[in-house]
Structures are given as C-alpha cells and as structure tokens.
Amino acid sequence: MNLNQLHYFTALARLEHYTKAAEELGITQPSLSHAMNSLEKELGTKLFEKQGRNVVLTKYGRFFLKYVEESLQILDMGIKKTRSMTGQNEGRIELAYIYTLGSEFVPQLAGDFIRTFEEMKVTFHFTVGNTYEIIQGLKEEKYDIAFCSMLDKEPSIQFTPVGTQGLVAVVPKGHPLSEQKAVDLEQAAAYPQIYFTENSGLRPVVDKLFENAHLTPKIAYEIEEDGSMAGLVAQNFGIAIMPDIPVLKQLNVDVLDIRSPQQVRYIYMAQAKEKYQAPVVRRFADFVKRRQFV
C-alpha cells in the first residue's frame, strides 16, 4: 500500500467513475484499475462494486474511506507544519538553556533576533535544564541549539563560546564576611558551602576553582539550580560560590567578589554536529556567533 493508491482511492470514491477519476489524477484508466485491484488484494476485500456505468463504494469501502481521509488530512497538516517550521523565512527554533541564563541572557538574545529580522516569522520553544540533560536532548534532536556549560568527551557536540559569567561568593546578610566587598577563596572555604550537584555543568568549574587553590570545600548541601541555591544562602543554610546572576539583587544576600583566585565561567552555544538544521536555525546560530559576547 502506498500514498498514491490512497489518493487514487479517494478520488474514485468521490467521482464514482474510472474514466473521470483517471483524467483528474492524470493517469491512464488501466493504471487506476491496477492500483485499485492491488489495494483490494492487500486489504483482502472489495472496495468498489459496479452500478451501471459507475462504481460505488461497498460497505467496507465506506468504512475504509473514513480512515483514509483522516490519514491524508493529518499528513497534509504535517506537510504544511513542517514547511512552516523549516522555511527560509519562517520556522520554529527549539532552544534549551541552563537556569542561570533564563532571566536576561536568553530572553534578550531571542528578542534581539526577532527584532533584527522582523520580516521573518520565527517562534521559539524554550526548555530549561541542567547541562547534562540539555546535551542529551541535543543528541536526541529534541533541541536545535542550547546554551550551557561545555562538557568533555562529547565529540558529537560543537561548543562555541558566546559569553562569560563571573563567579562570586554569596553570603547571607549579616554574615561575618558581609562587611567585605571582596574575599579570597580561602576565607570563603572556612564556611559550609551550598554546592552544585554532580550533574550541574558548574560543578567541575567550582571544583577546579577549589582544587587550584589547594582547598577542600565543606559541602553542607547540594542543589542543581542557581536560584534555589541563592535562596538557601538567604536563609542561612551556608554560603555559595556561584555565578553573579540577576536574582541575587532581589534576595537577602551579599555578593562578594573573589580576589584570588579569580575565575569566570564560559557560556557556550552547543549544537549537534553533522545534523540537518532548518534555515532559520542556521540564521539564529550565525546571529549569535556575530555578537561580541566574550
């Protein structure tokens, strides 16, 4: 059974005449007859019966027609939606990003793209997660582009640096370190830490920061998401080494620069290598690369 047979079947069911149906379809009458005979043989039943010079659907033909029409309508809808998603000047971009980029970085970037290319009909679908989840989603083609940390041993993913975030020490108001505008990591390491979980892309960054300073953090709690981490600090569960994200200004915390060793985390645009990308996705990726973030 193939798509042509189904189109032929619906045309013949509507016109009830082999010659008229063949003319409309642009094929010969023998070709139409052969296609219908093959379809009936595959289904194991008669779909049409003669009525004078015409043909009409049998009981089973009428039953089958409902499903064929519904299937063809769904297929046609899929074709239209696929074209709209992957056209030169319109489409949908599946965009994933880590939690710290949700308040400013990604919304501003997507907004700037839409404003720059007002003539295009572009929609975004946004997904937030940790770096490991996002990279897995890229491999499974759930996402077109992602903004996250870089992971080692991911040969199928292309990482392009597109921004930086400074790491800071965050302490609750009234903390012994609050009076200082900047601290050494050694000073911060003396206090219990709210730390990133193993599946956070920031975990190896912070680990390396402590390792390079020959320090061992006192991990009190582990959490994945930055906003929740800051909330725990505000409630005096510990202090945290984390990116300087906008939400910190709204919480009952003090943000201290780290004098030594200084550290920034890079933000990367991640894309699956050797995978087809729709024109609008490629244009968005080029737009991101042209901006001077780093």
Side-chain angles (χ1 to χ4, degrees):
M1 190 180 302
N2 58 52
L3 193 57
N4 280 340
Q5 286 176 315
L6 299 181
H7 281 297
Y8 296 171
F9 170 69
T10 57
L12 184 56
R14 175 168 45 85
L15 296 171
E16 298 183 337
H17 197 283
Y18 269 95
T19 302
K20 292 179 181 178
E23 289 176 355
E24 181 178 289
L25 293 167
I27 61 175
T28 64
Q29 184 174 327
S31 295
L32 178 58
S33 297
H34 176 73
M36 292 302 95
N37 289 335
S38 298
L39 185 58
E40 289 178 335
K41 185 176 181 180
E42 184 170 348
L43 290 171
T45 189
K46 292 290 291 182
L47 298 174
F48 295 96
E49 57 189 0
K50 289 185 178 180
Q51 190 176 79
R53 294 184 177 181
N54 291 2
V55 292
V56 295
L57 288 169
T58 64
K59 168 186 175 180
Y60 307 105
R62 291 193 299 272
F63 176 82
F64 184 55
L65 179 63
K66 292 188 297 182
Y67 290 95
V68 172
E69 289 179 333
E70 183 177 339
S71 299
L72 291 177
Q73 287 173 0
I74 293 172
L75 179 61
D76 185 57
M77 184 184 302
I79 291 170
K80 290 177 180 177
K81 286 189 175 182
T82 300
R83 285 174 176 167
S84 70
M85 289 172 64
T86 61
Q88 291 292 331
N89 293 307
E90 62 179 334
R92 173 177 165 129
I93 300 173
E94 296 285 347
L95 190 60
Y97 54 91
I98 54 178
Y99 299 102
T100 55
L101 306 181
S103 59
E104 289 186 2
F105 184 90
V106 169
Q108 181 177 341
L109 190 59
D112 287 348
F113 180 74
I114 290 173
R115 286 186 289 271
T116 301
F117 299 98
E118 292 181 348
E119 74 282 3
M120 298 176 63
K121 296 179 180 178
V122 180
T123 59
F124 285 90
H125 182 262
F126 300 105
T127 302
V128 182
N130 65 55
T131 293
Y132 288 91
E133 293 170 343
I134 287 170
I135 295 303
Q136 187 60 37
L138 279 176
K139 293 178 182 177
E140 296 171 359
E141 299 186 76
K142 293 180 181 178
Y143 315 126
D144 299 310
I145 289 176
F147 296 103
C148 56
S149 300
M150 182 172 70
L151 296 183
D152 295 329
K153 299 179 182 179
E154 292 291 351
S156 65
I157 303 296
Q158 176 183 333
F159 292 94
T160 304
V162 294
T164 58
Q165 286 181 323
L167 292 183
V168 293
V170 182
V171 303
K173 292 284 187 181
H175 190 274
L177 296 177
S178 287
E179 296 179 359
Q180 305 185 49
K181 292 184 178 180
V183 295
D184 295 326
L185 188 63
E186 186 174 3
Q187 293 174 273
Y191 297 92
Q193 304 286 316
I194 312 297
Y195 218 71
F196 288 102
T197 56
E198 294 284 353
N199 60 350
S200 168
L202 270 168
R203 177 65 176 253
V205 176
V206 180
D207 279 346
K208 189 173 182 63
L209 185 64
F210 278 98
E211 182 183 331
N212 289 343
H214 305 290
L215 296 169
T216 301
K218 301 174 183 177
I219 301 175
Y221 300 94
E222 294 185 355
I223 196 162
E224 177 181 278
E225 193 263 322
D226 309 70
S228 297
M229 174 178 283
L232 289 174
V233 173
Q235 294 301 317
N236 207 26
F237 280 85
I239 72 171
I241 306 300
M242 61 182 292
D244 188 4
I245 56 177
V247 72
L248 295 176
K249 299 181 179 67
Q250 304 169 20
L251 296 174
N252 194 36
V253 298
D254 288 319
V255 179
L256 314 176
D257 291 331
I258 300 174
R259 282 191 298 259
S260 175
Q262 290 186 329
Q263 179 75 26
V264 297
R265 70 86 65 93
Y266 283 89
I267 300 164
Y268 292 86
M269 178 172 67
Q271 299 168 271
K273 295 179 181 177
E274 299 178 0
K275 294 288 187 180
Y276 171 78
Q277 286 190 326
V280 291
V281 176
R282 293 196 300 270
R283 183 173 289 192
F284 179 69
D286 291 340
F287 174 79
V288 174
K289 290 175 184 177
R290 287 197 301 268
R291 293 168 70 96
Q292 299 299 314
F293 289 108
V294 183

